Amino acid sequence: MAFAPLDTGERSEEIARRLRHAIELGVLEDGFQLPSESDLASRMGVSTITLRAGLAQLRHSGLLETRRGHGGGSFVRANPEHFTEAQRAALATYSLDDLRDIREYRAFLAGSAAAAAAERRQLVPLQRLASLGEAIRGARKPTDLARADSRFHMEVAAAARSVRLTREEMAMQAEVGVLIWAHSQIESAPSSAADEHAAIVAAIDDRDARLARVLAEDHVRAEMNRLIDLRISKGMGQTAAAVDNVATQHAIANIQVFAANLGKTATAAIQMIEDAALSALGDSESGRSERLQGVYAVARESLIQAFPDICALGFITDPSVFGEAEVIGCSAPSGVESVQRLTMDWTDYDFATAPWWPTDRAEKGVVQATGAFVDASGSNEYIVTFSKGVWRDDRMVGVASADVLVKQLQEDFEPLLLSLPAGACILDQNGVVIATNAGSLFGATLATPSQQDGQFVLPGVPWQLCFEDPHALLKETPPLSPQLAR
């Protein structure tokens, strides 16, 4: 796998990344001599020059050394001191959304492999599988822990008798396996993992495909949740706070103020779009969208002022008035300096069925916040949309909307949530977790509890601040303090 042909990405970077992961995982052990440059370049399907550029990065990182003379070549230097620094740097390159996606993909792979192995029980080398599952119990070094866990999961994938599934499992192990165990500070984690491995093997032995899938998925999600917890704390060992009434009051008040400010920012931006659209239409009865082109300048200026809280802003014409839906607005895909006009082809998109499109006259004049959803028709990001129907007399002519990235909400709420007990999260009106201080809750959907259970409604937005353990917080909402506004 480490030497397989490359087919995507910046090739020298990919060479360095793949071999670094193989070294950190223990697939390439300390002192291992790499094949000759010509042989390795041929195996990986790259030129010798490209290979040398990738190997140079590993030498610079201290993971390879070159020895001259007879018996010389490139040798692995598996120095644990280099690992810690490299692993922290590697973890920092992943966003929480990246880790959530990896968590679910890994869970799918592991669950599918375990279920398939259970269905093919008669072909599974059960004794070998059980031995590999138990090996992690006695491991102590991060590389040994990662190697033992990875070998077990790769053996389960192999037992599924699918080459493609095995390759995908190997790729995932190479990418994040060592990160999970290098940072583990839970002394009981190896024994727990061994017990979970044993339970998976028992389910496979019993030919219980459903149970094998569930156990494997739960095991992988628990591993990835530890990594997400570490990423939330920026890898610096920071954890959610212990219960302290004064600190809790202060953090809750800050969260309430931030939410109120966000609601005001979205409402103000939407109001500017609404005013610009109505002014452009004037008294004209015609539904001609070219009259609205001046709205873009207002949207652009408003987005610049509201960024990064708002990532896209604009006006969408109502097809019943204009004959077709047209978006006049802009987005900032990679920073305020990247503000650009929204130019997608919306011909086949039915805006009237979008979750943020007003459908009730009772909503006239109200800014609503749509629960978090994937913007598959536009940015392909996880977003919350604030929207308001724009009315002229008794006719809705369009909708003014402002998009907020869920990952931006996590970034904004995160330092405040870390001041609260573990399990704190912000829920939208559908129970979707849009920010949290706990890896196990990131990306989850929960039943929205009542405020009597110790939950706090946030002003300006239809969200609640909730706790996994409602007994770990105050029973009364602290008063808002304007001085705590950011």
Side-chain angles (χ1 to χ4, degrees):
M1 186 68 184
F3 305 144
L6 285 81
D7 54 8
T8 60
E10 181 65 31
R11 291 194 161 194
S12 62
E13 296 287 341
E14 176 65 12
I15 289 167
R17 184 194 66 81
R18 186 188 291 179
L19 294 181
R20 186 186 74 246
H21 287 157
I23 293 169
E24 293 172 348
L25 188 60
V27 174
L28 303 180
E29 298 181 335
D30 185 43
F32 176 83
Q33 182 177 6
L34 298 184
S36 68
E37 290 185 351
S38 59
D39 184 19
L40 189 52
S42 176
R43 290 197 205 183
M44 301 185 84
V46 299
S47 69
T48 304
I49 294 175
T50 300
L51 176 72
R52 286 173 180 168
L55 296 182
Q57 294 182 42
L58 295 175
R59 292 190 186 96
H60 180 73
S61 301
L63 296 176
L64 281 184
E65 67 175 356
T66 300
R67 301 174 190 170
R68 305 295 180 185
H70 180 69
S74 296
F75 293 83
V76 171
R77 292 182 60 192
N79 188 334
E81 293 181 2
H82 291 294
F83 288 169
T84 300
E85 183 178 349
Q87 287 149 1
R88 287 184 184 277
L91 181 59
T93 64
Y94 291 96
S95 70
L96 290 174
D97 282 337
D98 291 335
L99 294 176
R100 176 178 61 180
D101 282 347
I102 291 172
R103 179 185 66 190
E104 297 310 310
Y105 185 52
R106 277 199 65 208
F108 171 79
L109 290 176
S112 298
E119 292 170 351
R120 298 164 175 79
R121 164 64 185 87
Q122 69 276 18
L123 302 175
V124 176
L126 203 69
Q127 186 174 356
R128 171 177 168 76
L129 192 60
S131 177
L132 289 173
E134 181 65 20
I136 196 171
R137 194 183 301 275
R140 291 295 177 264
K141 294 180 180 179
T143 52
D144 292 340
L145 289 164
R147 186 184 301 118
D149 195 37
S150 295
R151 285 178 175 172
F152 171 75
H153 284 288
M154 288 187 286
E155 186 68 24
V156 174
R161 304 184 70 78
S162 167
V163 173
R164 188 175 296 274
L165 185 62
T166 304
R167 285 177 177 170
E168 290 299 311
E169 181 62 49
M170 290 175 69
M172 282 288 94
Q173 290 296 334
E175 183 172 359
V176 298
V178 71
L179 295 181
I180 294 168
W181 291 101
H183 295 284
S184 179
Q185 298 179 358
I186 304 173
E187 292 185 2
S188 61
S191 292
S192 296
D195 292 342
E196 291 163 10
H197 290 170
I200 294 168
V201 173
I204 293 173
D205 188 23
D206 290 340
R207 293 180 169 80
D208 191 335
R210 185 197 65 79
L211 180 59
R213 179 186 295 276
V214 170
L215 292 173
E217 289 181 350
D218 288 349
H219 168 64
V220 165
R221 287 196 175 99
E223 288 185 336
M224 289 302 300
N225 285 340
R226 290 203 305 270
L227 195 57
I228 293 173
D229 280 334
L230 187 72
R231 180 63 181 82
I232 288 175
S233 65
K234 300 296 189 294
M236 299 303 293
Q238 182 182 3
T239 57
V243 179
D244 179 278
N245 278 358
V246 174
T248 300
Q249 279 188 340
H250 187 78
I252 292 175
N254 271 286
I255 289 170
Q256 289 176 316
V257 169
F258 176 83
N261 286 343
L262 177 63
K264 290 177 183 177
T265 298
T267 298
I270 285 173
Q271 187 63 54
M272 293 184 72
I273 297 296
E274 179 182 22
D275 293 345
L278 291 176
S279 176
L281 285 173
D283 297 327
S284 173
E285 293 297 328
S286 66
R288 298 174 58 187
S289 59
E290 56 263 28
R291 297 176 60 88
L292 298 169
Q293 296 310 308
V295 174
Y296 173 75
V298 175
R300 188 178 191 282
E301 184 60 31
S302 299
L303 180 59
I304 291 173
Q305 294 177 11
F307 187 86
D309 292 332
I310 294 175
C311 67
L313 185 64
F315 178 76
I316 303 93
T317 61
D318 191 320
S320 67
V321 177
F322 292 88
E324 62 180 4
E326 181 176 350
V327 179
I328 302 154
C330 51
S331 67
S334 56
V336 70
E337 70 284 349
S338 68
V339 174
Q340 60 189 38
R341 186 185 293 268
L342 292 168
T343 58
M344 291 185 60
D345 181 7
W346 306 99
T347 304
D348 298 321
Y349 186 72
D350 185 1
F351 282 95
T353 61
W356 44 265
W357 190 270
T359 58
D360 193 332
R361 290 180 64 88
E363 297 171 349
K364 184 177 180 180
V366 175
V367 175
Q368 61 182 18
T370 305
F373 65 100
V374 177
D375 181 27
S377 63
S379 65
N380 293 323
E381 296 272 11
Y382 208 41
I383 66 172
V384 171
T385 294
F386 290 84
S387 61
K388 179 185 180 184
V390 177
W391 293 70
R392 190 171 63 175
D393 299 326
D394 289 330
R395 193 176 192 185
M396 193 176 84
V397 296
V399 176
S401 70
D403 292 342
V404 178
L405 291 173
V406 171
K407 64 184 179 184
Q408 183 64 44
L409 292 174
Q410 171 68 32
E411 183 176 322
D412 290 336
F413 279 119
E414 188 176 296
L416 305 175
L417 291 169
L418 284 173
S419 299
L420 295 173
C425 61
I426 309 295
L427 295 184
D428 73 4
Q429 61 269 49
N430 297 318
V432 175
V433 175
I434 57 178
T436 182
N437 63 8
S440 60
L441 296 178
F442 191 78
T445 300
L446 309 175
T448 51
S450 65
Q451 190 172 3
Q452 286 74 18
D453 290 330
Q455 316 308 320
F456 303 113
V457 175
L458 301 182
V461 290
W463 305 336
Q464 294 184 52
L465 168 63
C466 302
F467 288 74
E468 200 170 28
D469 178 8
H471 301 293
L473 58 137
L474 304 173
K475 291 301 181 183
E476 295 184 2
T477 305
L480 286 177
S481 172
Q483 288 78 13
L484 293 175
R486 62 188 183 116

mmCIF file of all heavy atoms in Angstrom, residues 336-360:
data_model
loop_
_atom_site.group_PDB
_atom_site.id
_atom_site.type_symbol
_atom_site.label_atom_id
_atom_site.label_comp_id
_atom_site.label_asym_id
_atom_site.label_seq_id
_atom_site.Cartn_x
_atom_site.Cartn_y
_atom_site.Cartn_z
ATOM 1 N N VAL A 336 -12.827 37.237 3.056
ATOM 2 C CA VAL A 336 -13.490 38.466 2.631
ATOM 3 C C VAL A 336 -12.914 38.993 1.325
ATOM 4 O O VAL A 336 -13.602 39.678 0.553
ATOM 5 C CB VAL A 336 -13.407 39.525 3.758
ATOM 6 C CG1 VAL A 336 -11.967 40.012 3.920
ATOM 7 C CG2 VAL A 336 -14.354 40.679 3.494
ATOM 8 N N GLU A 337 -11.655 38.703 1.064
ATOM 9 C CA GLU A 337 -11.046 39.172 -0.179
ATOM 10 C C GLU A 337 -11.527 38.379 -1.392
ATOM 11 O O GLU A 337 -11.242 38.750 -2.536
ATOM 12 C CB GLU A 337 -9.512 39.086 -0.079
ATOM 13 C CG GLU A 337 -8.939 37.685 -0.080
ATOM 14 C CD GLU A 337 -9.120 36.952 1.246
ATOM 15 O OE1 GLU A 337 -9.505 37.625 2.234
ATOM 16 O OE2 GLU A 337 -8.882 35.737 1.307
ATOM 17 N N SER A 338 -12.267 37.291 -1.161
ATOM 18 C CA SER A 338 -12.709 36.435 -2.270
ATOM 19 C C SER A 338 -14.181 36.628 -2.609
ATOM 20 O O SER A 338 -14.766 35.780 -3.285
ATOM 21 C CB SER A 338 -12.470 34.961 -1.918
ATOM 22 O OG SER A 338 -13.344 34.554 -0.860
ATOM 23 N N VAL A 339 -14.787 37.726 -2.151
ATOM 24 C CA VAL A 339 -16.209 37.949 -2.426
ATOM 25 C C VAL A 339 -16.460 37.929 -3.925
ATOM 26 O O VAL A 339 -15.767 38.603 -4.697
ATOM 27 C CB VAL A 339 -16.674 39.292 -1.829
ATOM 28 C CG1 VAL A 339 -18.119 39.587 -2.242
ATOM 29 C CG2 VAL A 339 -16.573 39.261 -0.318
ATOM 30 N N GLN A 340 -17.440 37.138 -4.340
ATOM 31 C CA GLN A 340 -17.729 36.988 -5.761
ATOM 32 C C GLN A 340 -19.217 36.825 -5.995
ATOM 33 O O GLN A 340 -19.965 36.419 -5.107
ATOM 34 C CB GLN A 340 -16.986 35.781 -6.326
ATOM 35 C CG GLN A 340 -17.358 34.468 -5.664
ATOM 36 C CD GLN A 340 -16.457 33.323 -6.088
ATOM 37 O OE1 GLN A 340 -15.256 33.482 -6.262
ATOM 38 N NE2 GLN A 340 -17.043 32.146 -6.271
ATOM 39 N N ARG A 341 -19.646 37.145 -7.197
ATOM 40 C CA ARG A 341 -21.060 37.054 -7.556
ATOM 41 C C ARG A 341 -21.482 35.589 -7.641
ATOM 42 O O ARG A 341 -20.715 34.735 -8.111
ATOM 43 C CB ARG A 341 -21.297 37.742 -8.901
ATOM 44 C CG ARG A 341 -22.777 37.841 -9.298
ATOM 45 C CD ARG A 341 -22.915 38.415 -10.695
ATOM 46 N NE ARG A 341 -22.499 39.796 -10.757
ATOM 47 C CZ ARG A 341 -23.314 40.842 -10.602
ATOM 48 N NH1 ARG A 341 -24.606 40.634 -10.373
ATOM 49 N NH2 ARG A 341 -22.856 42.076 -10.696
ATOM 50 N N LEU A 342 -22.697 35.314 -7.210
ATOM 51 C CA LEU A 342 -23.260 33.975 -7.351
ATOM 52 C C LEU A 342 -23.729 33.811 -8.792
ATOM 53 O O LEU A 342 -24.632 34.524 -9.241
ATOM 54 C CB LEU A 342 -24.430 33.781 -6.380
ATOM 55 C CG LEU A 342 -24.055 33.743 -4.889
ATOM 56 C CD1 LEU A 342 -25.305 33.848 -4.021
ATOM 57 C CD2 LEU A 342 -23.302 32.473 -4.563
ATOM 58 N N THR A 343 -23.127 32.871 -9.513
ATOM 59 C CA THR A 343 -23.398 32.745 -10.945
ATOM 60 C C THR A 343 -23.856 31.346 -11.349
ATOM 61 O O THR A 343 -23.729 30.962 -12.491
ATOM 62 C CB THR A 343 -22.132 33.102 -11.754
ATOM 63 O OG1 THR A 343 -21.061 32.231 -11.340
ATOM 64 C CG2 THR A 343 -21.734 34.539 -11.546
ATOM 65 N N MET A 344 -24.370 30.588 -10.421
ATOM 66 C CA MET A 344 -24.789 29.222 -10.750
ATOM 67 C C MET A 344 -26.020 29.223 -11.651
ATOM 68 O O MET A 344 -26.780 30.192 -11.706
ATOM 69 C CB MET A 344 -25.098 28.443 -9.469
ATOM 70 C CG MET A 344 -23.882 28.127 -8.628
ATOM 71 S SD MET A 344 -24.317 27.094 -7.233
ATOM 72 C CE MET A 344 -24.971 25.644 -8.044
ATOM 73 N N ASP A 345 -26.201 28.120 -12.359
ATOM 74 C CA ASP A 345 -27.383 27.924 -13.191
ATOM 75 C C ASP A 345 -28.497 27.345 -12.321
ATOM 76 O O ASP A 345 -28.437 26.200 -11.876
ATOM 77 C CB ASP A 345 -27.065 26.964 -14.344
ATOM 78 C CG ASP A 345 -28.266 26.737 -15.257
ATOM 79 O OD1 ASP A 345 -29.295 27.421 -15.064
ATOM 80 O OD2 ASP A 345 -28.165 25.882 -16.154
ATOM 81 N N TRP A 346 -29.534 28.162 -12.071
ATOM 82 C CA TRP A 346 -30.621 27.756 -11.185
ATOM 83 C C TRP A 346 -31.856 27.294 -11.970
ATOM 84 O O TRP A 346 -32.940 27.189 -11.408
ATOM 85 C CB TRP A 346 -31.027 28.925 -10.289
ATOM 86 C CG TRP A 346 -29.897 29.524 -9.520
ATOM 87 C CD1 TRP A 346 -29.198 30.640 -9.840
ATOM 88 C CD2 TRP A 346 -29.323 29.035 -8.301
ATOM 89 N NE1 TRP A 346 -28.219 30.885 -8.904
ATOM 90 C CE2 TRP A 346 -28.271 29.906 -7.947
ATOM 91 C CE3 TRP A 346 -29.588 27.929 -7.486
ATOM 92 C CZ2 TRP A 346 -27.494 29.732 -6.818
ATOM 93 C CZ3 TRP A 346 -28.822 27.748 -6.354
ATOM 94 C CH2 TRP A 346 -27.792 28.639 -6.028
ATOM 95 N N THR A 347 -31.689 27.008 -13.273
ATOM 96 C CA THR A 347 -32.834 26.747 -14.143
ATOM 97 C C THR A 347 -33.751 25.657 -13.597
ATOM 98 O O THR A 347 -34.976 25.803 -13.587
ATOM 99 C CB THR A 347 -32.349 26.351 -15.552
ATOM 100 O OG1 THR A 347 -31.495 27.385 -16.054
ATOM 101 C CG2 THR A 347 -33.537 26.164 -16.492
ATOM 102 N N ASP A 348 -33.180 24.560 -13.159
ATOM 103 C CA ASP A 348 -33.993 23.405 -12.739
ATOM 104 C C ASP A 348 -34.192 23.327 -11.226
ATOM 105 O O ASP A 348 -34.665 22.305 -10.722
ATOM 106 C CB ASP A 348 -33.340 22.108 -13.236
ATOM 107 C CG ASP A 348 -33.269 22.047 -14.747
ATOM 108 O OD1 ASP A 348 -34.232 22.490 -15.390
ATOM 109 O OD2 ASP A 348 -32.247 21.563 -15.277
ATOM 110 N N TYR A 349 -33.840 24.393 -10.531
ATOM 111 C CA TYR A 349 -33.966 24.342 -9.076
ATOM 112 C C TYR A 349 -35.282 24.975 -8.652
ATOM 113 O O TYR A 349 -35.603 26.116 -9.031
ATOM 114 C CB TYR A 349 -32.803 25.066 -8.414
ATOM 115 C CG TYR A 349 -32.810 24.928 -6.899
ATOM 116 C CD1 TYR A 349 -32.493 23.714 -6.302
ATOM 117 C CD2 TYR A 349 -33.153 25.996 -6.079
ATOM 118 C CE1 TYR A 349 -32.512 23.564 -4.933
ATOM 119 C CE2 TYR A 349 -33.176 25.850 -4.707
ATOM 120 C CZ TYR A 349 -32.857 24.641 -4.139
ATOM 121 O OH TYR A 349 -32.892 24.511 -2.772
ATOM 122 N N ASP A 350 -36.054 24.263 -7.853
ATOM 123 C CA ASP A 350 -37.344 24.750 -7.371
ATOM 124 C C ASP A 350 -37.151 25.415 -6.012
ATOM 125 O O ASP A 350 -37.150 24.750 -4.979
ATOM 126 C CB ASP A 350 -38.322 23.576 -7.274
ATOM 127 C CG ASP A 350 -39.731 24.036 -6.897
ATOM 128 O OD1 ASP A 350 -39.935 25.259 -6.737
ATOM 129 O OD2 ASP A 350 -40.609 23.166 -6.745
ATOM 130 N N PHE A 351 -36.991 26.735 -6.033
ATOM 131 C CA PHE A 351 -36.735 27.444 -4.780
ATOM 132 C C PHE A 351 -37.910 27.338 -3.815
ATOM 133 O O PHE A 351 -37.720 27.388 -2.599
ATOM 134 C CB PHE A 351 -36.447 28.923 -5.071
ATOM 135 C CG PHE A 351 -35.055 29.180 -5.569
ATOM 136 C CD1 PHE A 351 -34.797 29.262 -6.924
ATOM 137 C CD2 PHE A 351 -34.004 29.322 -4.685
ATOM 138 C CE1 PHE A 351 -33.515 29.486 -7.396
ATOM 139 C CE2 PHE A 351 -32.717 29.542 -5.141
ATOM 140 C CZ PHE A 351 -32.474 29.624 -6.501
ATOM 141 N N ALA A 352 -39.110 27.220 -4.348
ATOM 142 C CA ALA A 352 -40.289 27.183 -3.478
ATOM 143 C C ALA A 352 -40.289 25.974 -2.554
ATOM 144 O O ALA A 352 -41.000 25.968 -1.542
ATOM 145 C CB ALA A 352 -41.562 27.195 -4.327
ATOM 146 N N THR A 353 -39.481 24.937 -2.882
ATOM 147 C CA THR A 353 -39.410 23.755 -2.016
ATOM 148 C C THR A 353 -38.192 23.796 -1.094
ATOM 149 O O THR A 353 -37.988 22.867 -0.322
ATOM 150 C CB THR A 353 -39.350 22.471 -2.861
ATOM 151 O OG1 THR A 353 -38.165 22.501 -3.676
ATOM 152 C CG2 THR A 353 -40.575 22.358 -3.764
ATOM 153 N N ALA A 354 -37.382 24.860 -1.198
ATOM 154 C CA ALA A 354 -36.203 24.977 -0.326
ATOM 155 C C ALA A 354 -36.659 25.166 1.115
ATOM 156 O O ALA A 354 -37.690 25.791 1.382
ATOM 157 C CB ALA A 354 -35.349 26.166 -0.762
ATOM 158 N N PRO A 355 -35.911 24.622 2.079
ATOM 159 C CA PRO A 355 -36.338 24.702 3.479
ATOM 160 C C PRO A 355 -36.435 26.136 4.005
ATOM 161 O O PRO A 355 -37.168 26.393 4.961
ATOM 162 C CB PRO A 355 -35.259 23.907 4.229
ATOM 163 C CG PRO A 355 -34.089 23.866 3.297
ATOM 164 C CD PRO A 355 -34.647 23.873 1.917
ATOM 165 N N TRP A 356 -35.722 27.074 3.391
ATOM 166 C CA TRP A 356 -35.712 28.444 3.881
ATOM 167 C C TRP A 356 -36.715 29.351 3.163
ATOM 168 O O TRP A 356 -36.851 30.528 3.493
ATOM 169 C CB TRP A 356 -34.309 29.046 3.719
ATOM 170 C CG TRP A 356 -33.657 28.750 2.410
ATOM 171 C CD1 TRP A 356 -32.789 27.733 2.137
ATOM 172 C CD2 TRP A 356 -33.848 29.454 1.170
ATOM 173 N NE1 TRP A 356 -32.421 27.762 0.809
ATOM 174 C CE2 TRP A 356 -33.052 28.809 0.189
ATOM 175 C CE3 TRP A 356 -34.600 30.569 0.798
ATOM 176 C CZ2 TRP A 356 -32.999 29.235 -1.129
ATOM 177 C CZ3 TRP A 356 -34.547 30.996 -0.517
ATOM 178 C CH2 TRP A 356 -33.761 30.338 -1.468
ATOM 179 N N TRP A 357 -37.433 28.837 2.167
ATOM 180 C CA TRP A 357 -38.377 29.656 1.405
ATOM 181 C C TRP A 357 -39.669 29.844 2.212
ATOM 182 O O TRP A 357 -40.283 28.869 2.619
ATOM 183 C CB TRP A 357 -38.701 28.989 0.069
ATOM 184 C CG TRP A 357 -39.478 29.869 -0.879
ATOM 185 C CD1 TRP A 357 -40.839 29.958 -0.971
ATOM 186 C CD2 TRP A 357 -38.944 30.770 -1.837
ATOM 187 N NE1 TRP A 357 -41.192 30.863 -1.934
ATOM 188 C CE2 TRP A 357 -40.043 31.384 -2.495
ATOM 189 C CE3 TRP A 357 -37.657 31.124 -2.225
ATOM 190 C CZ2 TRP A 357 -39.885 32.324 -3.505
ATOM 191 C CZ3 TRP A 357 -37.495 32.063 -3.229
ATOM 192 C CH2 TRP A 357 -38.596 32.655 -3.855
ATOM 193 N N PRO A 358 -40.100 31.095 2.471
ATOM 194 C CA PRO A 358 -41.328 31.320 3.255
ATOM 195 C C PRO A 358 -42.534 30.708 2.547
ATOM 196 O O PRO A 358 -42.710 30.875 1.336
ATOM 197 C CB PRO A 358 -41.435 32.848 3.313
ATOM 198 C CG PRO A 358 -40.048 33.348 3.047
ATOM 199 C CD PRO A 358 -39.447 32.356 2.088
ATOM 200 N N THR A 359 -43.373 30.036 3.306
ATOM 201 C CA THR A 359 -44.538 29.374 2.714
ATOM 202 C C THR A 359 -45.851 29.820 3.349
ATOM 203 O O THR A 359 -46.916 29.369 2.948
ATOM 204 C CB THR A 359 -44.415 27.851 2.864
ATOM 205 O OG1 THR A 359 -44.281 27.512 4.257
ATOM 206 C CG2 THR A 359 -43.211 27.320 2.099
ATOM 207 N N ASP A 360 -45.778 30.689 4.331
ATOM 208 C CA ASP A 360 -46.972 31.068 5.085
ATOM 209 C C ASP A 360 -47.053 32.591 5.160
ATOM 210 O O ASP A 360 -46.071 33.254 5.503
ATOM 211 C CB ASP A 360 -46.903 30.464 6.497
ATOM 212 C CG ASP A 360 -48.236 30.546 7.231
ATOM 213 O OD1 ASP A 360 -49.011 31.477 6.938
ATOM 214 O OD2 ASP A 360 -48.485 29.702 8.100
#
